[in-house]
Amino acid sequence: AQSVAQPEDQVNVAEGNPLTVKCTYSVSGNPYLFWYVQYPNRGLQFLLKYITGDNLVKGSYGFEAEFNKSQTSFHLKKPSALVSDSALYFCAVSLNTNAGKSTFGDGTTLTVKP
Amino acid sequence: NAGVMQNPRHLVRRRGQEARLRCSPMKGHSHVYWYRQLPEEGLKFMVYLQKENIIDESGMPKERFSAEFPKEGPSILRIQQVVRGDSAAYFCATSPGGPLEKLFFGSGTQLSVL
């Protein structure tokens, strides 16, 4: 079985400050990890993924995420937050044995204040 | 290249009626995943289909729910005899296939059961 935990329902940061959205996972095998963003009344949009290789992954809109195998984490980060980054963020995991079925976390609402 | 198309965007049904939700994948995508998003919750996997085949339906309720992805035409998620608890946003995601591929999401169908 695979699972994803996003321990924070809400993250609030001031514009210009760094942001972190946390994600931990549990799988039996090598995970493939993803971050998606959802704006109101829209479907999810892909931000970045970790498959293999460098633990630091760079994605869309200046976001990056760091894969930490020992802590089973894949936290999403951005050095300088924008108000337009305010949205709902989902972490997801899939396995090479499950043909692409992804398990999603419950989401974290990011609010960036001016 | 049009994105993943879901229709209708909003669907209102009375208890006991049937709901049909449609998903047209992006061109070249033969893998379809249906997810349900309840208020204040994350995405819950329902079913994974490839053309004419159900690959994984472990997230589908045993009764009243069914899904298909025919050789021609869109994927259909069908809910018979809807109840109020079926009210949710239903998202379709598609991919070319495999765990390495990111998912492309439609804008979802918001089902409201009166």
Side-chain angles (χ1 to χ4, degrees):
Chain A
Q2 60 200 54
S3 65
V4 175
Q6 292 181 242
E8 301 159 315
D9 291 337
Q10 293 232 341
V11 171
N12 298 311
V13 298
E15 187 175 29
N17 283 2
L19 69 87
T20 298
V21 183
K22 295 179 181 177
C23 171
T24 59
Y25 64 91
S26 175
V27 299
S28 52
N30 292 321
Y32 301 133
L33 295 155
F34 302 79
W35 275 101
Y36 291 84
V37 60
Q38 185 181 30
Y39 297 100
N41 301 313
R42 302 291 299 276
L44 278 67
Q45 298 175 34
F46 170 81
L47 276 180
L48 51 78
K49 67 180 178 182
Y50 171 81
I51 303 299
T52 187
D54 287 341
N55 290 342
L56 185 63
V57 179
K58 293 188 183 297
S60 306
Y61 313 120
F63 284 93
E64 58 189 28
E66 186 168 11
F67 171 64
N68 188 318
K69 188 172 183 177
S70 63
Q71 298 185 3
T72 62
S73 68
F74 190 57
H75 301 331
L76 181 69
K77 300 181 180 183
K78 187 173 183 180
S80 179
L82 300 172
V83 173
S84 58
D85 293 330
S86 298
L88 183 57
Y89 290 81
F90 290 97
C91 181
V93 64
S94 67
L95 290 172
N96 60 358
T97 55
N98 68 2
K101 182 184 91 174
S102 291
T103 299
F104 285 78
D106 287 342
T108 298
T109 299
L110 172 67
T111 301
V112 181
K113 297 185 178 180
Chain B
N1 187 6
V4 178
M5 304 300 293
Q6 284 188 254
N7 66 81
R9 285 298 304 274
H10 301 276
L11 182 60
V12 180
R13 286 287 179 265
R14 297 191 181 279
R15 281 179 297 170
Q17 291 184 320
E18 178 180 285
R20 279 181 176 248
L21 288 62
R22 295 175 185 78
C23 170
S24 296
M26 287 181 67
K27 186 177 181 180
H29 288 192
S30 59
H31 297 246
V32 171
Y33 306 81
W34 284 94
Y35 287 84
R36 178 165 61 178
Q37 185 177 34
L38 292 166
E40 309 300 326
E41 292 187 20
L43 288 169
K44 303 301 180 188
F45 168 79
M46 298 183 73
V47 62
Y48 163 38
L49 311 101
Q50 294 182 36
K51 278 291 186 182
E52 300 184 90
N53 293 308
I54 295 175
I55 307 302
D56 183 341
E57 57 181 348
S58 57
M60 287 275 272
K62 295 288 184 254
E63 298 179 349
R64 302 188 297 108
F65 285 71
S66 62
E68 62 177 11
F69 188 18
K71 188 176 181 180
E72 301 290 339
S75 176
I76 305 288
L77 179 66
R78 182 184 179 201
I79 311 172
Q80 295 178 290
Q81 300 172 347
V82 296
V83 301
R84 287 214 173 110
D86 296 332
S87 296
Y90 292 82
F91 288 95
C92 165
T94 75
S95 84
L100 303 183
E101 298 292 338
K102 64 185 180 185
L103 299 177
F104 291 79
F105 281 81
S107 296
T109 294
Q110 181 64 52
L111 173 64
S112 299
V113 180
L114 305 179

